[in-house]
Amino acid sequence: MFNLGSLVLCLFVILSGLSFCTGNSVTYDSNAIIINGERRIIFSGSIHYPRSTDAMWPDLIKKAKDGGLDAIETYIFWDRHEPQRQKYDFSGNLDFIKFFQLIHDAGLYVLMRIGPYVCAEWNYGGFPVWLHNMPGIEFRTDNKVYKNEMQTFTTKIVNMCKQANLFATQGGPIIIAQIENEYGNVMTPYGDAGKTYINWCAQMAESLNIGVPWIMCQQSDAPQPMINTCNGFYCDNFTPNNPKSPKMFTENWVGWFKKWGEKDPHRTAEDVAFSVAKFFQFGGVLNNYYMYHGGTNFGRTSGGPFITTSYDYDAPIDEYGNLNQPKWGHLKQLHASIKLGEKILTSSTRSDRNISSSVTLTTFSNPTTGGRFCFLSNTDASNDANIDLEADGTYFVPAWSVTILDGCNKEVYNTAKVNSQTSVFVKEQDEKENAQLSWTWAREHMRDTLLGTGTFKANQLLEQKGFTVDVSDYLWYMTNVDIDQTSSPRDVTLQVNTKGHVLHAFVNRRHIGSEWANNGQSFVLEKPISLKSGTNTITLLSATVGLKNYDAFYDMVPTGIDGGPVYLIGSGNVTTNLSSNSWSYKVGLNGEMKQFYNPTTHSSKVKWRPFEHKSIGRRMAWFKTNFKTPSGVDPVVLDLQGMGKGQGWVNGQSIGRFWPSFIANNDNCSETCDYRGAYESSKCVGNCGNPSQRWYHIPRSFLSGDTNTLILFEEIGGNPKQISVQTITIQTICGHVNEGSTLELSCQGGRIISEIQFASYGNPEGKCGSYKHGLWNVVNTLLLVEKACIGKENCSIDVTGKSFEISDATSSFATLAVQALCSKK
């Protein structure tokens, strides 16, 4: 066991005359996390506080606890907390201290991953962009400038937690902290300086004396006493680099992120459960779901480039805070099943017996108590297995599944047998209040930039992020070209080589084209143009769509037209290189600087015009409307179908970037998804041929009690007349449960079960939305289910022959399928 940090902290506290050593001790060995002497296995889930609102936190935490979690994990987001050097922000949904306190109040623990590099598909990996501009700095290596800034921020976060008594040794919820993040994945290119840096990270972290263990994920050479941990879809084969360290799965990827132009990822509940069960079968101690609630990339926080505003991640709690069933329920049952064996799993010896090439029986035995707990896994991706364990019984183990045996002789769970409900949500528009939105519009004033007027100049093409410093997605590049009619061609091709991510080109105040690459990488814009005699103004507007967040030296990946080159290509390929011209620059849009998006400040600055048919398709324009707050508590979304690309605000608060005109490819989608076999992000995708993101979350805390102002900046042209405000409502719930289990049905949001659309106890076939009777069915099933469920918010039915008034042995092979409708009371 190791708890040197706790000992040092307590000695310091005693000498200081303080008294918080009455808190919890946190130690560990290879079999358990030990909290106040109690040997524990830990189920945790990632909920990133900036990806929701502080008003959502209590409900998200409650649902995490109800789902059987012991802890909640989050990164600490440096860029949000220190947007300018030594100027900090911990307000609103950045108040991580409040977030941790709410978690503590709920009786859960905290895994705090300071990083401060976070990756997380977050803009610039969580680094503030001003860091990039510090003289002599090199990120994530043995660099004094960087290490000083990293230590200053890390120390500030630790001290804030100490002052709020948040570490477990102070009686608080934080039981584990992380320094750095996935550095081992990219360490090799940094050479010896990378090794020196990771050793420094460990020493610096330990010097902070927090009294709880430190971890480093994906760091096989993590210095002691750092605990190295595993991230991925499967970590059952992972072994810590210290035999005394617990085996931790810090990121079990429950789904995947999405980029503009991509389809919806989906990882089945069966496969996530399979991954978790196998991890604990082979000695796992802590499993953290990444994500448990993905949430929303508000503002310009999405990284990438090209990460969507939605960060739903197919998590057990969806982007809007609804339970993603059956995943949430299936994992809840898994947690309860594994917890049955917690005392044995954390205080026993393990033995593995290979029954076949794909079937393994793992037995945990406590010689003192005689207790046993078993996992029976089948890793064959096609073939089911019938396993005879003699005195301990015979078991059917489906392909690619794990059966959990309490006492090694009673099946309590199988990862492929889903007994939790499926929930189907619909998006509804209030036809009375917000049936037809009334729009006005305003121009984005570009006269200055179209005439070549900027705020600074350079005789070169500059890299973008170093000058925008993340205050805007936009940087204007402007230059003049003089044409002598007697010697220069008028009809030429403008060629712009850019590092991304989006480029709009104007010549003599006329838009001549826009371009972007499907992956947000470098591309070339080529457009034919006609130049006039005399001075011609070329104006290029470069837009970023999330700064790169991952890879070795990712921070140095350029954006914008950086170096170009920019050419004019005439007949006979006569080329004029404009890269060394005198270029004028301007950061951002005029409307941004004047806060057109803020209804409380813009009223005297903006000339809003009545919306007309000719306003449709207008690029570089602002659109405004008012809408009523939808009644009830259901999540609110904005359907932006018909719009192009831009950003949106509700009552001055950003709901993120939008790009519904970016359509996912129409291939590789299927209505069926086979959970069997190893998962990767292109498996089981959906939403082919549709916008990558059509709906955008408006948290209810953004809304007023009555009327709200929606303002959109449209970059490439769209039709706001197609926009609608909608709510997300649970409509249909289904369950298909095996004999001996319990069917639990629940309508969220105060709704009740108003109709049983299908019910069959026997061998029903199909899936939610298409159930049908099989070869046999108990005729009174529908009446019995209606009696148990109609008019209730939730109901439960024991799936046994007795419940359906039969005693025939056939019932041992029966299942119950139910489909119900949820309605307002």
Side-chain angles (χ1 to χ4, degrees):
M1 298 181 194
F2 298 86
N3 198 17
L4 180 60
S6 179
L7 175 62
V8 172
L9 178 62
C10 283
L11 286 173
F12 170 78
V13 168
I14 291 168
L15 291 172
S16 303
L18 302 176
S19 60
F20 57 64
C21 277
T22 56
N24 297 316
S25 66
V26 182
T27 61
Y28 60 85
D29 60 26
S30 61
N31 292 326
I33 304 294
I34 307 167
I35 304 174
N36 249 18
E38 183 180 3
R39 303 180 66 79
R40 302 288 304 274
I41 58 173
I42 300 294
F43 291 105
S44 175
S46 298
I47 299 177
H48 294 162
Y49 54 93
R51 282 179 159 140
S52 56
T53 67
D54 51 345
M56 294 174 66
W57 293 344
D59 183 61
L60 295 174
I61 294 167
K62 181 180 185 302
K63 287 172 177 172
K65 184 176 183 178
D66 290 347
L69 295 192
D70 305 294
I72 289 174
E73 174 276 329
T74 186
Y75 286 120
I76 302 295
F77 294 83
W78 189 359
D79 65 318
R80 304 299 290 157
H81 293 304
E82 195 176 0
Q84 299 178 58
R85 188 168 184 262
Q86 297 182 0
K87 293 183 179 180
Y88 299 99
D89 186 358
F90 299 100
S91 62
N93 73 338
L94 300 180
D95 188 353
F96 75 93
I97 297 293
K98 175 183 175 182
F99 184 58
F100 289 176
Q101 288 168 336
L102 289 171
I103 295 170
H104 191 205
D105 291 345
L108 299 178
Y109 298 117
V110 169
L111 277 58
M112 178 174 67
R113 301 173 73 184
I114 299 177
Y117 165 71
V118 301
C119 185
E121 293 71 58
W122 190 264
N123 190 53
Y124 212 39
F127 285 136
V129 178
W130 56 259
L131 205 64
H132 171 78
N133 290 339
M134 294 192 71
I137 198 166
E138 295 178 55
F139 287 15
R140 304 180 78 195
T141 190
D142 187 24
N143 175 268
K144 183 177 180 180
V145 180
Y146 171 74
K147 290 191 299 183
N148 285 343
E149 294 300 322
M150 174 180 169
Q151 183 168 6
T152 298
F153 179 75
T154 302
T155 302
K156 181 175 184 65
I157 297 303
V158 166
N159 287 341
M160 289 178 67
C161 291
K162 287 181 178 180
Q163 290 163 11
N165 293 334
L166 288 175
F167 288 104
T169 47
Q170 301 173 286
I174 302 173
I175 59 170
I176 290 171
Q178 178 179 302
I179 196 69
E180 247 298 335
N181 186 44
E182 295 185 329
Y183 191 66
N185 292 352
V186 300
M187 183 174 168
T188 300
Y190 293 92
D192 291 341
K195 182 66 176 178
T196 301
Y197 164 67
I198 209 66
N199 287 330
W200 171 85
C201 287
Q203 294 164 5
M204 184 269 288
E206 278 295 298
S207 73
L208 296 173
N209 296 322
I210 62 175
V212 301
W214 284 97
I215 62 173
M216 285 183 170
C217 67
Q218 297 294 94
Q219 193 69 44
S220 61
D221 61 347
Q224 300 304 311
M226 300 288 113
I227 304 170
N228 68 309
T229 68
C230 182
N231 296 349
F233 294 119
Y234 310 95
C235 281
D236 47 288
N237 290 326
F238 166 74
T239 302
N241 66 359
N242 185 337
K244 297 180 180 179
S245 292
K247 182 173 176 174
M248 296 188 187
F249 198 165
T250 36
E251 290 188 14
N252 187 334
W253 301 329
V254 300
W256 201 240
F257 57 86
K258 181 171 59 173
K259 292 187 175 185
W260 302 111
E262 292 184 349
K263 310 169 188 71
D264 289 351
H266 172 60
R267 188 181 183 194
T268 64
E270 295 95 324
D271 188 60
V272 178
F274 174 76
S275 169
V276 176
K278 277 202 71 185
F279 177 69
F280 283 98
Q281 177 179 8
F282 294 107
V285 171
L286 180 149
N287 175 85
N288 179 69
Y289 297 104
Y290 189 97
M291 299 290 297
Y292 200 74
H293 164 72
T296 306
N297 292 316
F298 298 112
R300 296 178 300 102
T301 58
S302 59
F306 274 34
I307 300 295
T308 57
T309 296
S310 171
Y311 198 68
D312 182 83
Y313 220 90
D314 196 25
I317 304 174
D318 73 13
E319 177 182 3
Y320 315 112
N322 293 316
L323 300 182
N324 178 10
Q325 296 278 40
K327 187 173 284 185
W328 182 88
H330 194 45
L331 296 177
K332 175 183 178 178
Q333 293 168 5
L334 171 64
H335 305 152
S337 299
I338 293 177
K339 286 285 187 176
L340 290 173
E342 183 172 39
K343 290 184 178 180
I344 299 174
L345 292 171
T346 57
S347 305
S348 63
T349 58
R350 189 186 100 224
S351 62
D352 301 319
R353 177 160 68 97
N354 293 325
I355 296 174
S356 70
S357 61
S358 59
V359 176
T360 301
L361 173 67
T362 298
T363 303
F364 291 83
S365 304
N366 188 315
T368 303
T369 64
R372 295 187 305 157
F373 198 79
C374 289
F375 295 82
L376 185 59
S377 61
N378 178 8
T379 57
D380 193 298
S382 303
N383 299 305
D384 303 332
N386 288 289
I387 305 300
D388 185 358
L389 297 181
E390 299 177 347
D392 285 330
T394 301
Y395 301 95
F396 171 69
V397 187
W400 201 256
S401 78
V402 179
T403 293
I404 298 173
L405 302 173
D406 189 18
C408 293
N409 57 16
K410 179 184 177 182
E411 179 176 332
V412 292
Y413 186 88
N414 177 273
T415 60
K417 301 173 184 178
V418 179
N419 291 313
S420 58
Q421 79 174 42
T422 296
S423 300
V424 180
F425 291 88
V426 295
K427 298 176 178 71
E428 297 180 341
Q429 182 179 356
D430 187 335
E431 296 295 340
K432 181 179 180 181
E433 290 289 354
N434 297 309
Q436 185 63 53
L437 300 176
S438 178
W439 291 90
T440 56
W441 73 280
R443 288 190 176 93
E444 165 59 28
H445 296 293
M446 301 183 291
R447 181 178 175 84
D448 55 345
T449 50
L450 295 184
L451 291 175
T453 302
T455 57
F456 62 96
K457 292 185 178 182
N459 292 326
Q460 64 185 85
L461 291 161
L462 300 174
E463 196 275 335
Q464 183 166 344
K465 67 176 175 292
F467 287 90
T468 58
V469 200
D470 203 34
V471 299
S472 174
D473 282 351
Y474 303 101
L475 180 64
W476 298 88
Y477 296 72
M478 299 156 282
T479 194
N480 291 328
V481 177
D482 292 325
I483 295 297
D484 181 347
Q485 186 175 9
T486 62
S487 60
S488 301
R490 286 184 160 195
D491 294 326
V492 297
T493 296
L494 173 65
Q495 183 189 89
V496 183
N497 295 265
T498 179
K499 309 302 189 298
H501 308 138
V502 175
L503 186 65
H504 308 291
F506 303 82
V507 175
N508 294 330
R509 301 176 63 182
R510 184 174 67 87
H511 177 258
I512 56 103
S514 298
E515 197 80 50
W516 52 85
N518 285 339
N519 56 9
Q521 303 302 317
S522 301
F523 63 91
V524 178
L525 177 145
E526 283 192 350
K527 298 293 179 182
I529 62 174
S530 294
L531 300 177
K532 64 182 182 180
S533 298
T535 300
N536 296 265
T537 300
I538 296 175
T539 300
L540 305 173
L541 176 60
S542 176
T544 53
V545 191
L547 299 180
K548 190 171 175 64
N549 57 262
Y550 180 77
D551 234 330
F553 306 107
Y554 81 87
D555 53 293
M556 298 304 295
V557 173
T559 56
I561 309 175
D562 181 38
V566 174
Y567 297 121
L568 294 178
I569 304 173
S571 59
N573 288 322
V574 175
T575 300
T576 303
N577 190 339
L578 304 180
S579 303
S580 298
N581 265 32
S582 175
W583 288 87
S584 295
Y585 293 89
K586 182 178 178 179
V587 173
L589 307 172
N590 285 319
E592 283 182 302
M593 303 305 119
K594 295 179 180 179
Q595 297 188 14
F596 280 19
Y597 54 82
N598 190 339
T600 63
T601 62
H602 73 217
S603 56
S604 62
K605 301 177 182 178
V606 189
K607 182 179 180 180
W608 294 102
R609 306 163 184 262
F611 188 89
E612 301 174 337
H613 182 74
K614 63 182 180 181
S615 306
I616 295 172
R618 188 179 292 274
R619 66 177 61 87
M620 304 299 289
W622 297 80
F623 296 96
K624 182 178 78 166
T625 191
N626 294 321
F627 66 93
K628 295 288 186 180
T629 297
S631 60
V633 297
D634 290 331
V636 180
V637 293
L638 193 65
D639 182 353
L640 289 181
Q641 181 167 262
M643 297 302 288
K645 174 187 180 295
Q647 299 177 44
W649 296 262
V650 173
N651 296 330
Q653 300 195 71
S654 174
I655 60 171
R657 300 184 183 97
F658 63 82
W659 204 345
S661 62
F662 213 140
I663 306 300
N665 290 336
N666 197 14
D667 60 354
N668 296 325
C669 281
S670 173
E671 291 189 9
T672 61
C673 174
D674 189 345
Y675 72 87
R676 300 174 301 176
Y679 178 78
E680 44 84 24
S681 60
S682 63
K683 181 180 180 180
C684 296
V685 293
N687 197 44
C688 285
N690 293 313
S692 289
Q693 186 175 350
R694 173 177 168 180
W695 288 276
Y696 298 79
H697 185 204
I698 307 175
R700 281 196 172 264
S701 59
F702 284 15
L703 302 175
S704 71
D706 185 25
T707 302
N708 307 278
T709 301
L710 167 64
I711 296 175
L712 305 174
F713 172 68
E714 173 55 63
E715 192 176 314
I716 62 175
N719 181 7
K721 284 292 186 179
Q722 296 183 42
I723 293 174
S724 61
V725 177
Q726 301 172 359
T727 55
I728 298 179
T729 303
I730 190 167
Q731 182 185 68
T732 305
I733 54 176
C734 299
H736 195 170
V737 178
N738 295 295
E739 179 74 19
S741 300
T742 300
L743 171 68
E744 295 180 340
L745 295 176
S746 178
C747 293
Q748 299 180 39
R751 283 172 166 72
I752 60 170
I753 299 170
S754 59
E755 180 185 350
I756 304 300
Q757 298 174 317
F758 179 90
S760 173
Y761 176 73
N763 66 334
E765 300 173 351
K767 61 181 183 178
C768 189
S770 60
Y771 286 132
K772 62 182 180 180
H773 293 288
L775 294 177
W776 71 279
N777 167 66
V778 175
V779 294
N780 64 344
T781 302
L782 181 60
L783 291 175
L784 291 171
V785 173
E786 286 178 336
K787 182 178 179 181
C789 298
I790 291 292
K792 299 178 181 179
E793 290 187 18
N794 50 70
C795 65
S796 62
I797 300 171
D798 291 332
V799 184
T800 64
K802 183 178 179 181
S803 297
F804 293 91
E805 301 172 356
I806 66 168
S807 56
D808 193 296
T810 308
S811 67
S812 63
F813 303 102
T815 62
L816 171 64
V818 175
Q819 179 170 313
L821 185 68
C822 294
S823 302
K824 292 181 179 179
K825 293 182 180 178

